[in-house]
């Protein structure tokens, strides 16, 4: 008999699943060009789920259910809350774009988005290898379908095919690594795996062999080099609304499973996986920043920017365990969580501006398409400038504090290697500043290519303005969000 408490752990998932099915049925009778009823119901559902997970996270309790397969803890619940809000913002930004390109003939964009979010929720709640993998597959299969949503567009279909092939390979890596861990420890439960490794009776070589495949699979999901091949092609080829959908909220889920697998389950192997993550971080910072300089397509440039930003997230994870001691873990892992949350916030604003500038028959994907934007719309140019400055790590924006927190975690370790990594990250940030500032230069100093003014629906304009303001406000007063991340990580480490 299942404990009644077990159901508490999956209330948000139940609500999301039931409403996704109801919305799919309601959509059958929604004949409006912009799928108004489907859209409103989806936003209401996401708001309710965000409120549920936010209240659960504020309670600070950690509850296990269904034979310890599922865990409801502050870290998972906060990430669910942020992912729900990110999808809400994505749909607000993306709906006019999708309607202009005949992508709302059916409500697939809304229902597939909700199923993708459900996959993220399962990943964030999973305390079992099998459950985490099932959540990952639900997310990725929904993402493949979303990328291919414009069936009459050859570029989008090509991007979906590339994403599918490379994603299947990465899923195979991860599944093979998890199967090796199961073979070595005899358990699929994350906590039981930790105990088995702590007993010292498990063959270390088998564990490290499985760990290599797990890290490779995780690196693909976050888009870290050299497993980044899909990111530029998919970001550029997918419809911009879908690019935002697969480039924002899923990063939160990827961070969650890294913590669940590597920190909660395989922390005693930190000496091994930290070296792998350090190499991935170095490669990501190098490849991402250098390749972005050569890009003329704005979406492709932001794709390489994503690769470099993930390098910073990985650096925070590298600094958690020092010589077998976890005294730096809370600071380092909370810095990584803060970084990934603020990165998603900034990504929403940057792609939101691109979506706003796009119109029927015109994608606004080239950097030159932003020429003279300040003369046509100072507000939208200001929001885009804020996102570029934040991604470059320029104070007082939140991107600066996020980078600073990661660098402080590296330096606090006291290890010469980690301090060297911090210096390398700063140098790569200086390189990255070039292509971010180039966008600002084009917007403010180049002559406009068109005299047409920029217009947008009121809801898009309002959300985008709030989005840009938050990037500035959280940079000036980052303490609240940083404390939230620290408490969430402390609760996770205490398990």
């Amino acid at each position: 008999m299942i404990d009644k408490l077990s159901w508490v752990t999956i209330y948000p998932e139940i609500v999301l699943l039931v409403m996704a099915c109801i919305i799919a049925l309601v959509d059958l009778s929604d004949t409006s060009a912009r799928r108004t009823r489907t859209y409103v119901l989806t936003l209401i559902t996401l708001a309710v789920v965000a409120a549920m997970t936010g209240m659960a996270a504020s309670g600070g309790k950690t509850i296990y259910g269904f034979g310890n397969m599922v865990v409801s803890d502050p870290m998972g619940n906060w990430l669910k809350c942020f992912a729900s809000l990110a999808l809400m913002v994505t749909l607000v930004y993306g709906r006019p774009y999708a309607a202009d390109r005949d992508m709302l003939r059916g409500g697939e964009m809304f229902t597939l988005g909700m199923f993708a979010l459900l996959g993220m929720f399962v990943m964030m709640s999973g305390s079992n290898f099998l459950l985490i993998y099932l959540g990952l597959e639900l997310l990725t299969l929904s993402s493949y379908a979303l990328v291919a949503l414009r069936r009459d567009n050859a570029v989008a279909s090509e991007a979906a095919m590339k994403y599918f092939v490379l994603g299947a390979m990465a899923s195979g890596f991860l599944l093979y690594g998890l199967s090796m861990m199961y073979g070595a420890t005899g358990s699929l439960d994350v906590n039981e795996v930790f105990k088995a490794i702590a007993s010292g009776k498990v063959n270390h070589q088998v564990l490290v062999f499985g760990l290599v495949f797990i890290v490779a699979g995780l690196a693909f999901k976050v888009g870290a080099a050299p497993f980044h091949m899909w990111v530029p092609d998919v970001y550029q080829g997918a419809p911009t609304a879908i690019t935002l959908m697969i480039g924002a909220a899923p990063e939160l889920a990827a961070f969650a499973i890294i913590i669940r697998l590597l920190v909660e389950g395989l922390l005693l192997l930190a000496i091994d996986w930290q070296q792998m993550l350090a190499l991935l971080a170095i490669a990501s910072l190098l490849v991402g920043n250098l390749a972005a300089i050569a890009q003329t397509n704005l979406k492709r440039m932001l794709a390489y920017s994503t690769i470099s930003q993930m390098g910073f997230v990985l650096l925070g994870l590298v600094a958690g365990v020092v010589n077998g001691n976890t005294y730096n873990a809370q600071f380092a892992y909370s810095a990584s969580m803060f970084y990934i949350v603020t990165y998603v916030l900034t990504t929403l604003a940057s792609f939101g501006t691109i979506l706003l500038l796009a119109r029927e028959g015109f994608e606004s994907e080239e950097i030159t398409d932003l020429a003279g934007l300040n003369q046509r719309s100072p507000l939208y140019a200001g929001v885009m400038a804020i996102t570029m400055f934040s991604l470059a790590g320029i104070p007082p924006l939140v991107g600066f504090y996020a980078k600073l927190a990661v660098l402080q975690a590296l330096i606090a370790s006291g290890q010469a290697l980690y301090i060297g990594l911090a210096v390398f990250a700063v140098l790569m940030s200086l390189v990255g500043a070039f292509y971010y500032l180039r966008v600002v230069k084009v917007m403010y100093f180049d002559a406009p290519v068109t005299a047409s003014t920029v217009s947008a629906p009121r809801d898009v304009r309002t959300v985008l303005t709030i989005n840009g303001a938050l990037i500035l406000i959280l940079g000036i007063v980052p303490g609240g969000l940083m404390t939230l991340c620290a408490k969430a990580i402390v609760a996770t480490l205490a398990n």
Side-chain angles (χ1 to χ4, degrees), residues 96-444:
Y97 174 95
D100 289 342
R101 284 150 187 81
D102 204 24
M103 293 167 60
L104 296 183
R105 284 178 291 180
E108 295 92 346
M109 179 173 149
F110 302 108
T111 52
L112 284 172
M114 292 183 71
F115 280 116
L117 183 64
L118 179 60
M120 296 179 220
F121 276 25
V122 174
M123 292 163 66
M124 294 168 181
S125 295
S127 186
N128 181 282
F129 288 164
L130 184 58
L131 197 64
I132 290 172
Y133 184 75
L134 288 175
L136 179 63
E137 286 304 289
L138 179 55
L139 168 61
T140 52
L141 290 173
S142 300
S143 300
Y144 302 152
L146 284 166
V147 174
L149 200 56
R150 288 186 74 180
R151 294 181 289 273
D152 57 344
N153 187 288
V155 177
S157 299
E158 180 187 349
M161 185 60 69
K162 290 177 180 176
Y163 193 17
F164 173 74
V165 172
L166 293 173
M169 182 177 67
S171 294
F173 280 166
L174 183 60
L175 186 60
Y176 186 65
L178 294 176
S179 67
M180 291 292 292
M181 288 295 169
Y182 173 68
T185 62
S187 177
L188 293 170
D189 185 274
V190 170
N191 293 322
E192 291 300 320
V193 168
F194 179 88
K195 292 175 183 177
I197 296 172
S199 69
K201 298 178 181 178
V202 181
N203 188 312
H204 186 74
Q205 289 182 329
V206 176
L207 291 175
V208 174
F209 188 72
L211 187 61
V212 170
F213 284 94
I214 290 175
V215 171
L218 294 175
F220 177 90
K221 298 307 176 186
V222 298
F227 302 95
H228 66 287
M229 300 81 69
W230 64 277
V231 180
D233 289 340
V234 174
Y235 271 47
Q236 183 180 1
T240 307
I242 306 304
T243 301
L244 180 55
M245 198 173 286
I246 64 174
E251 299 291 0
L252 300 171
F255 174 81
I257 61 170
I258 289 175
I259 295 294
R260 296 290 186 217
L261 293 176
L262 299 185
V263 176
E264 290 191 17
L266 307 173
L267 188 63
L268 297 177
L269 300 177
I271 187 66
D272 298 302
W273 56 256
Q274 282 183 166
Q275 296 177 46
M276 301 177 200
L277 294 187
L279 291 174
L280 292 172
I282 292 170
S284 298
L285 288 166
L286 194 63
V287 172
N289 285 305
L290 294 182
I293 292 174
Q295 306 306 314
T296 58
N297 183 279
L298 185 56
K299 286 166 66 177
R300 199 171 183 88
M301 188 207 82
L302 289 173
Y304 281 109
S305 164
T306 296
I307 295 166
S308 67
Q309 299 292 335
M310 290 306 105
F312 262 96
V313 174
L314 295 177
L315 285 178
L317 296 168
V318 165
V321 180
V322 182
N323 294 329
N325 297 315
T326 58
Y327 65 84
N328 203 41
Q330 174 191 337
F331 187 28
Y333 299 152
S334 60
S336 281
M337 182 175 172
F338 181 88
Y339 199 105
I340 200 77
V341 170
T342 55
Y343 165 74
V344 169
L345 178 68
T346 310
T347 297
L348 289 169
S350 60
F351 276 97
T353 306
I354 297 173
L355 285 166
L356 185 149
L357 296 175
R359 54 187 182 273
E360 191 171 357
F362 179 69
E363 292 295 329
S364 187
E365 290 185 0
E366 299 297 320
I367 294 176
T368 53
D369 293 334
L370 300 180
L373 179 60
N374 182 57
Q375 299 175 37
R376 296 187 289 138
S377 175
L379 172 62
Y380 305 137
V383 172
M384 193 63 170
I386 284 175
T387 63
M388 293 297 105
F389 286 140
S390 181
L391 289 170
I394 295 175
L397 302 169
V398 72
F400 166 76
Y401 190 82
K403 283 181 167 59
L404 180 63
V406 171
L407 295 174
Q408 285 177 328
L410 286 166
I411 294 170
S413 68
Q415 301 294 299
L417 175 61
Y418 293 169
I419 294 173
L421 286 174
V423 173
F424 177 76
V426 171
L427 293 175
M428 288 296 101
S429 293
L430 291 176
V431 174
F434 170 79
Y435 58 83
Y436 293 126
L437 296 180
R438 180 179 60 184
V439 175
V440 178
K441 175 259 181 189
V442 168
M443 291 191 299
Y444 282 86

Side-chain angles (χ1 to χ4, degrees), residues 54-63 72-75 77-78 487-488 491 495:
M55 288 189 291
S58 300
K61 295 181 180 179
T62 299
I63 305 173
S72 173
D73 62 359
M75 184 197 77
N77 284 319
W78 278 125
K487 289 182 177 179
N495 294 335

Side-chain angles (χ1 to χ4, degrees), residues 7-25:
W7 294 104
V8 176
T9 60
I10 61 168
Y11 279 162
E13 286 84 353
I14 293 172
V15 171
L16 196 57
L17 176 60
V18 171
M19 286 306 299
C21 296
I22 291 174
I23 289 170
L25 293 175

